[in-house]
């Protein structure tokens, strides 16, 4: 018995689905997977709203260490006085995925104190990236959980506030990684990369939970195959460079690098408009702070944030706040009263009241020293002394021995002798060479 071609394809699809279900796996069903703890992957807007009825979320995140290399950038883009605000009057925020090496945990503590989300980005940031692909469960657990405890102990952040993880190089370890995160009560992962939409008018994928096995795949393998109920995946959606030619997962990884401020601004703005004009999925803006070393890039980012905060329906928040909105979708009409986005405890320059040990800003890259922030005169001296002792102990555990010791810079003061006097053999040959040429010129011009 032969089937018509169209029926053949139909039966094939049905059998494939039945086979998929027969293995004990289930396709996400949006009729049963609902807020607050479940959301199927896709481009559909949570809550069934129209795009113009919801706020545009902007998720700015930086990876790697926090130290003097990027501290001034964070102060400029996220002013401690809170003058750069969202429409509800609260300061803008971001998420920092912090690795251990070279991190100043006092800076991390101060950033967290003014509303910046701190997430886990590994203990050692092992290279090469293939290490993360093949890491054992024990190795990976050490990287994830030890750094989480470092952030909790050395930066004094409540461990329940360290909710997220991003793997170095965006390299997942399949189910090994997700099992560790899920069992240890992490809320979300932000590692899996997803391709650029088909064109600038295509909607963008929203964050989703892994209540069902991953159905959309990921660019960098291995992807997870199992389900992790209630665990969120915040996708890394690739951007397009300023020429709109090549995709890039991080802003600083674009092959067509901007040559001036305008081109840097176009990367940020054009990709933002893709989300804003389609389904208003969160705008995932991922980068490393060295991209801001170039003045044009820093100025472009500053102008970009200024333009966003002038818009009445755009909120620059951290990933945790975005997931709170996913759990309870709220329209623009009621967003000003949305409790998870409020800031009842924020005060301008609140970090000035956080006393901890920071590294000196080095004059050169070879010098590291320490200083302590001086508390107010009316502070309790005994409490201050105990706190200082505790923090010094934490810092000593955080950094390798000798990290803060000043390195002596040896200057070579010996003057270089002329090339024809560096050694006796060269000197003799050089004099013979010079005398020979002088004699030749004397003979030629004396006639």
């Amino acid at each position: 018995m032969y089937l018509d071609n169209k029926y053949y394809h139909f039966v094939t699809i049905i059998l494939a689905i039945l086979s998929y279900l027969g293995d004990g796996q289930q396709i996400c069903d949006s009729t049963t997977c609902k807020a607050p703890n479940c959301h199927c992957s896709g481009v559909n807007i949570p809550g069934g709203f129209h795009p113009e009825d919801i706020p545009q979320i902007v998720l700015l995140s930086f990876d790697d260490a926090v130290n003097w290399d990027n501290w001034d950038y964070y102060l400029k883009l996220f002013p401690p006085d809170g003058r750069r605000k969202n429409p509800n009057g609260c300061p803008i925020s971001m998420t920092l995925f912090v690795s251990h090496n070279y991190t100043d945990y006092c800076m991390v503590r101060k950033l967290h104190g003014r509303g910046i989300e701190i997430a886990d980005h590994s203990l050692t940031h092992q290279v090469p990236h293939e290490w993360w692909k093949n890491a054992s469960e024990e190795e990976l657990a050490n990287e994830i959980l030890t750094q989480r405890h470092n952030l909790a102990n050395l930066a004094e952040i409540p461990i329940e506030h360290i909710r997220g993880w991003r793997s170095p190089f965006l390299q997942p370890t399949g189910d090994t990684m997700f099992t560790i995160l899920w069992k240890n009560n992490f809320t979300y992962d932000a590692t899996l990369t997803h391709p650029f939409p088909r064109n600038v008018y295509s909607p963008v994928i929203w964050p989703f939970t892994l209540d069902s096995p991953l159905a959309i795949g990921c660019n960098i393998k291995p992807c997870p195959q199992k389900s992790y109920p209630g665990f969120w995946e915040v996708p890394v959606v690739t951007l397009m460079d300023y020429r709109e030619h090549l995709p890039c997962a991080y802003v600083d990884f674009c092959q067509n690098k901007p040559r001036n401020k305008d081109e840097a601004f176009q990367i940020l703005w054009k990709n933002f408009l893709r989300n804003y004009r389609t389904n208003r999925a969160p705008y995932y803006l991922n980068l490393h702070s060295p991209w801001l070393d170039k003045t044009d890039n820093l100025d472009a980012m500053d102008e970009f944030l200024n333009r966003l905060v002038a818009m009445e329906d755009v909120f620059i928040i951290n990933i945790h706040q975005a997931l709170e909105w996913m759990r309870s979708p709220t329209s623009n009409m009621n967003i000003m009263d949305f409790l998870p986005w409020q800031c009842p405890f924020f005060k301008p320059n609140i970090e000035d009241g956080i006393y901890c040990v920071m590294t000196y800003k080095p004059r050169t890259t070879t010098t590291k020293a320490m200083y302590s922030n001086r508390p107010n005169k009316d502070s309790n001296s005994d409490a201050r002394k105990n706190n200082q002792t505790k923090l010094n102990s934490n810092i000593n555990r955080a950094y390798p021995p000798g990290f803060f010791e000043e390195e002596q810079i040896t200057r070579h003061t010996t003057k270089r002798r002329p090339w024809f006097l560096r050694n006796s053999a060269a000197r003799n040959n050089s004099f013979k060479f010079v005398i020979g040429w002088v004699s030749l010129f004397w003979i030629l011009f004396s006639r």
Side-chain angles (χ1 to χ4, degrees):
M1 178 180 179
Y2 295 94
L3 294 175
D4 186 78
N5 189 50
K6 61 180 180 180
Y7 292 110
Y8 175 83
H9 289 295
F10 175 78
V11 172
T12 301
I13 293 173
I14 294 298
L15 291 175
I17 294 175
L18 291 175
S19 175
Y20 187 80
L21 296 176
D23 291 337
Q25 297 177 328
Q26 296 180 353
I27 297 175
C28 187
D29 184 359
S30 59
T31 61
T32 57
C33 179
K34 296 182 178 181
N37 297 317
C38 188
H39 185 75
C40 294
S41 60
V43 299
N44 294 331
I45 299 175
F49 292 108
H50 294 289
E52 62 273 13
D53 295 331
I54 64 171
Q56 173 63 63
I57 294 172
V58 176
L59 298 178
L60 180 59
S61 68
F62 289 87
D63 290 7
D64 299 337
V66 175
N67 51 41
W68 282 113
D69 289 341
N70 44 40
W71 176 252
D72 291 337
Y73 300 150
Y74 298 154
L75 292 183
K76 178 180 177 66
L77 300 178
F78 298 84
D81 59 7
R83 64 179 178 271
R84 190 166 263 166
K85 302 178 184 294
N86 283 315
N88 63 353
C90 289
I92 64 173
S93 185
M94 64 173 171
T95 299
L96 295 176
F97 292 93
V98 181
S99 53
H100 174 68
N101 290 341
Y102 309 111
T103 284
D104 187 318
Y105 284 92
C106 180
M107 293 180 179
V108 174
R109 184 183 174 197
K110 287 177 175 289
L111 289 167
H112 177 263
R114 56 184 165 100
I116 304 298
E117 182 186 13
I118 305 300
D120 192 344
H121 192 49
S122 84
L123 178 66
T124 65
H125 208 291
Q126 287 272 8
V127 292
H129 72 274
E130 288 86 358
W131 185 92
W132 297 94
K133 179 179 181 179
N134 303 311
S136 67
E137 183 176 356
E138 181 180 359
E139 292 171 330
L140 197 59
N142 179 62
E143 290 284 341
I144 296 173
L145 302 181
T146 304
Q147 178 58 5
R148 190 189 201 186
H149 282 89
N150 282 344
L151 293 169
N153 296 332
L154 304 181
E156 299 192 9
I157 300 173
I159 198 166
E160 61 271 17
H161 289 184
I162 306 168
R163 307 174 178 93
W165 159 264
R166 173 172 287 163
S167 183
F169 312 107
L170 301 179
Q171 175 61 64
T173 321
D175 287 301
T176 302
M177 182 180 81
F178 283 87
T179 299
I180 295 171
L181 296 173
W182 187 60
K183 286 184 176 180
N184 287 277
N185 298 316
F186 280 80
T187 302
Y188 68 87
D189 167 70
T191 298
L192 302 185
T193 52
H194 295 273
F196 185 81
R198 288 171 295 178
N199 55 62
V200 294
Y201 304 105
S202 298
V204 181
I205 188 173
W206 286 80
F208 55 91
T209 60
L210 291 172
D211 287 68
S212 301
L214 187 66
I216 58 174
C218 59
N219 284 359
I220 303 177
K221 306 297 189 288
C223 309
Q225 302 297 320
K226 300 178 182 179
S227 60
Y228 302 91
F231 185 78
W232 289 86
E233 177 61 34
V234 180
V236 178
V237 178
T238 54
L239 310 174
M240 290 298 284
D241 61 28
Y242 76 94
R243 295 180 179 177
E244 299 183 17
H245 286 173
L246 298 173
C248 34
Y250 288 99
V251 174
D252 46 306
F253 282 7
C254 292
Q255 295 185 35
N256 290 324
K257 299 186 181 301
R259 297 164 296 183
N260 51 52
K261 176 184 174 181
D262 181 66
E263 292 178 353
F265 179 81
Q266 291 305 318
I267 295 177
L268 307 174
W269 183 247
K270 287 183 178 180
N271 284 283
F272 165 78
L273 291 179
R274 174 191 65 186
N275 294 51
Y276 187 72
R277 292 174 176 174
T278 56
N279 65 339
R280 293 203 177 179
Y283 176 34
Y284 314 99
L285 188 56
N286 310 298
L287 66 159
H288 299 85
S289 61
W291 190 73
L292 302 174
D293 289 345
K294 187 176 179 180
T295 303
D296 284 342
N297 294 345
L298 179 61
D299 291 343
M301 178 65 76
D302 193 52
E303 181 180 337
F304 174 67
L305 294 180
N306 283 336
R307 185 172 295 193
L308 293 185
V309 296
M311 303 175 71
E312 296 181 353
D313 54 357
V314 175
F315 286 75
I316 307 169
I317 58 178
N318 57 54
I319 293 177
H320 168 66
Q321 291 175 309
L323 295 183
E324 288 299 301
W325 188 92
M326 295 287 298
R327 291 188 174 100
S328 181
T330 304
S331 67
N332 287 329
M333 185 179 299
N334 301 312
I335 198 63
M336 299 303 177
D337 299 322
F338 186 56
L339 189 59
W341 290 7
Q342 299 299 309
C343 51
F345 303 108
F346 177 81
K347 296 179 182 179
N349 301 305
I350 191 173
E351 64 184 41
D352 290 346
I354 299 175
Y355 309 120
C356 57
V357 177
M358 294 173 65
T359 57
Y360 269 128
K361 187 173 184 178
R363 294 181 180 179
T364 68
T365 57
T366 59
T367 303
K368 295 280 185 181
M370 298 178 66
Y371 77 91
S372 61
N373 290 347
R374 295 183 179 179
N376 297 330
K377 293 181 179 179
D378 56 353
S379 300
N380 184 284
S381 59
D382 292 335
R384 183 170 72 250
K385 183 177 180 180
N386 293 336
N387 186 48
Q388 191 71 36
T389 302
K390 178 181 178 182
L391 289 170
N392 283 338
S393 176
N394 288 342
I395 291 294
N396 289 335
R397 293 200 307 271
Y399 293 93
F403 182 80
F404 295 111
E405 295 179 0
E406 294 190 2
E407 298 181 9
Q408 298 295 328
I409 301 177
T410 303
R411 298 185 180 275
H412 297 280
T413 57
T414 305
K415 294 182 179 180
R416 294 173 61 86
R417 294 188 296 174
W419 61 271
F420 52 84
L421 295 177
R422 290 181 186 174
N423 56 62
S424 58
R427 182 169 62 250
N428 293 336
N429 292 334
S430 300
F431 276 121
K432 292 178 182 178
F433 180 82
V434 173
I435 291 173
W437 275 103
V438 171
S439 301
L440 178 61
F441 277 102
W442 178 262
I443 294 171
L444 292 176
F445 292 102
S446 63
R447 293 181 179 180

